[in-house]
Amino acid sequence: VKVSERVVVRHTAGSALVRTLSYLRRDQRNEVVVELGKGLEMGQYEISKYIPQYLGEAALYLHPSELDEQVLWLKGLLGSPNDSAVAGALNTIAVLLQHYPAYKERFSEKREVYDHRRRELLGLLLQGLAHYRETVRQEALLVTGKLLFDSPILDMDEKAHLFSLCYRKLLFLTQETQRPNGLTFFYRAAALAHINKFIALRRLDRGPFAFEKPGKIAFFPGTFDPFTLSHKGIVHAIRDLGFEVYLAVDEFSWSKKAQPHLIRRQIVNLSVAGDFHVHLFPDDLPVNIANPADLRRLVDLFPGQEVYIVAGSDVVANASSYK
């Protein structure tokens, strides 16, 4: 799988290895997955490019607690400075999602645990779309389109469920990055063509999509210099109350010298890219909360929904605009 000079040998070995896993003990399965992971971690393209297909399938033979450890390891690998290692992690995550429906037949666990892990895996791909390196963003988009929504393995209902979770994120993240150069433009177009193919087939087969409209909107403005784990904890607490949260990054701060606006915005974007029902508010729709006309415009953006403003008690006490 790792070093054969013949591609057919690598694929034959990988397929044989996956077929063997169901006959192995729990500890042996774990050893196989760890060993495959070492090849991916090296970040040498010649070794790692064939591993994701079989590592993703093999990981789904692990016990739930060990699978969760593998997901955590992949999450850490996405932070590698080596582009090949990150690309391998993204491809492995996509293969995991491709074959994930088979997991519930192998291990008994609560439905909410199964669904939470699926959302976490999808969120890791979305984090790749928000990455600060262009090569990683390209790979994440191609993997999402080709291996997920153009997958011959996933059925249409499973693809539709994943799409309903991430369509807002896909729309935003593909527009949030800087204007692509010529090569990047065509790379992105090729990736989006796979997603478009799924949308067209789904509409022909089942009719228009029916997306659930959130009832309550939480508009959360702030300097976010920087966006911290405490901010993220607050966002999750609000989201878990049933809100769709929109984070608006202020251009400047009256009280302190903040980092440049685009840097703070990029940090927030990367931090929440994998969190569902949490979004970055569009930069081309500035909202001054001290301006009644802006507040009316904000409410008009969400017809038929309740709109709330999120503010810390210290801000309410000291900032006149909130009063």
Side-chain angles (χ1 to χ4, degrees), residues 97-150:
L97 281 167
Q98 272 187 350
H99 296 271
Y100 191 60
Y103 192 69
K104 59 188 172 202
E105 307 298 328
R106 294 173 188 158
F107 295 94
S108 177
E109 58 181 354
K110 293 181 179 178
R111 180 73 192 190
E112 54 266 29
V113 175
Y114 172 87
D115 289 342
H116 174 77
R117 190 185 296 112
R118 178 170 54 183
R119 287 195 301 271
E120 187 174 9
L121 288 167
L122 184 58
L124 292 178
L125 286 184
L126 295 173
Q127 283 184 12
L129 288 175
H131 205 276
Y132 60 91
R133 297 204 301 269
E134 178 64 33
T135 51
V136 175
R137 292 198 300 269
Q138 287 180 358
E139 188 68 21
L141 185 57
L142 185 62
V143 162
T144 302
K146 185 177 181 180
L147 297 186
L148 214 57
F149 292 111
D150 203 12

Side-chain angles (χ1 to χ4, degrees), residues 127-319:
Q127 283 184 12
L129 288 175
H131 205 276
Y132 60 91
R133 297 204 301 269
E134 178 64 33
T135 51
V136 175
R137 292 198 300 269
Q138 287 180 358
E139 188 68 21
L141 185 57
L142 185 62
V143 162
T144 302
K146 185 177 181 180
L147 297 186
L148 214 57
F149 292 111
D150 203 12
S151 167
I153 298 167
L154 280 174
D155 62 36
M156 191 63 75
D157 288 338
E158 185 70 13
K159 291 178 185 177
H161 177 74
L162 293 173
F163 188 69
S164 68
L165 284 173
C166 72
Y167 75 97
R168 292 171 186 258
K169 295 279 188 181
L170 287 173
L171 278 171
F172 180 80
L173 291 171
T174 52
Q175 295 295 320
E176 178 66 10
T177 53
Q178 297 177 355
R179 184 182 295 275
N181 58 38
L183 183 61
T184 303
F185 174 83
F186 287 110
Y187 200 96
R188 181 180 295 184
L192 289 174
H194 293 293
I195 301 175
N196 183 62
K197 178 182 174 183
F198 154 71
I199 293 172
L201 290 173
R202 172 61 167 71
R203 286 173 62 87
L204 283 171
D205 188 38
R206 307 289 175 86
F209 288 92
F211 297 122
E212 185 178 350
K213 186 178 180 180
K216 297 186 294 183
I217 303 297
F219 180 73
F220 191 171
T223 309
F224 303 123
D225 184 34
F227 187 78
T228 65
L229 288 175
S230 296
H231 288 128
K232 193 166 184 174
I234 293 167
V235 168
H236 287 175
I238 296 167
R239 180 197 61 186
D240 293 344
L241 292 172
F243 287 88
E244 198 86 3
V245 184
Y246 286 85
L247 294 159
V249 182
D250 294 340
E251 287 196 18
F252 59 90
S253 171
W254 291 106
S255 59
K256 61 181 178 179
K257 184 177 181 180
Q259 293 184 79
H261 170 249
L262 290 178
I263 290 178
R264 289 182 282 117
R265 184 175 174 82
Q266 189 177 44
I267 292 171
V268 175
N269 188 31
L270 185 56
S271 299
V272 302
D275 294 324
F276 299 104
H277 306 293
V278 180
H279 313 277
L280 204 53
F281 194 76
D283 224 8
D284 57 353
L285 294 172
V287 176
N288 180 357
I289 61 169
N291 185 337
D294 279 14
L295 291 179
R296 281 194 296 272
R297 183 161 57 95
L298 176 63
V299 173
D300 291 341
L301 290 172
F302 303 97
Q305 297 163 288
E306 298 178 20
V307 181
Y308 296 76
I309 287 181
V310 181
S313 57
D314 57 333
V315 176
V316 173
N318 299 312

Side-chain angles (χ1 to χ4, degrees), residues 40 51-53 55-57 59-60 70-78 85-100 117-128 140 143-144 147-148 154 162:
L40 198 67
I51 290 178
Q53 175 63 44
L55 176 58
E57 290 186 56
L60 292 173
Q70 186 68 16
V71 173
L72 188 62
W73 174 78
L74 287 167
K75 184 177 181 179
L77 196 57
L78 288 178
V86 176
L90 289 169
N91 278 269
T92 303
I93 292 164
V95 173
L96 274 166
L97 281 167
Q98 272 187 350
H99 296 271
Y100 191 60
R117 190 185 296 112
R118 178 170 54 183
R119 287 195 301 271
E120 187 174 9
L121 288 167
L122 184 58
L124 292 178
L125 286 184
L126 295 173
Q127 283 184 12
V143 162
T144 302
L147 297 186
L148 214 57
L154 280 174
L162 293 173

